[in-house]
Amino acid sequence: MNNKTHDYTNAEWGHDYAIRSISDEGHTVSLTGWGCGISNDDYLILKNGEEGTRYKVDSIRYCGDPHDMWFAEASFSPR
């Protein structure tokens, strides 16, 4: 399997996210975001201060309108 890494440390139009909830002391996050091409088991690099923190996508669901909006659950996955 060829998992992709998606860098979300720099927000731009059509490529951004918002954290909906954080649980398990930051090891699990629920997100809403925008951008295409993310699949289950891919990795997201999320902004954490000046650094980025890697999370593995446990599940992702794309919306029909807008087509690039998604909801995801992800788990902390250090590099």
Side-chain angles (χ1 to χ4, degrees), residues 4-38:
K4 294 180 183 177
T5 299
H6 307 270
D7 189 345
Y8 273 78
T9 55
N10 293 312
E12 57 187 61
W13 184 257
H15 184 85
D16 198 5
Y17 70 95
I19 296 174
R20 298 173 55 215
S21 67
I22 301 171
S23 58
D24 193 24
E25 298 182 357
H27 287 102
T28 306
V29 293
S30 178
L31 307 156
T32 300
W34 299 266
C36 297
I38 303 169

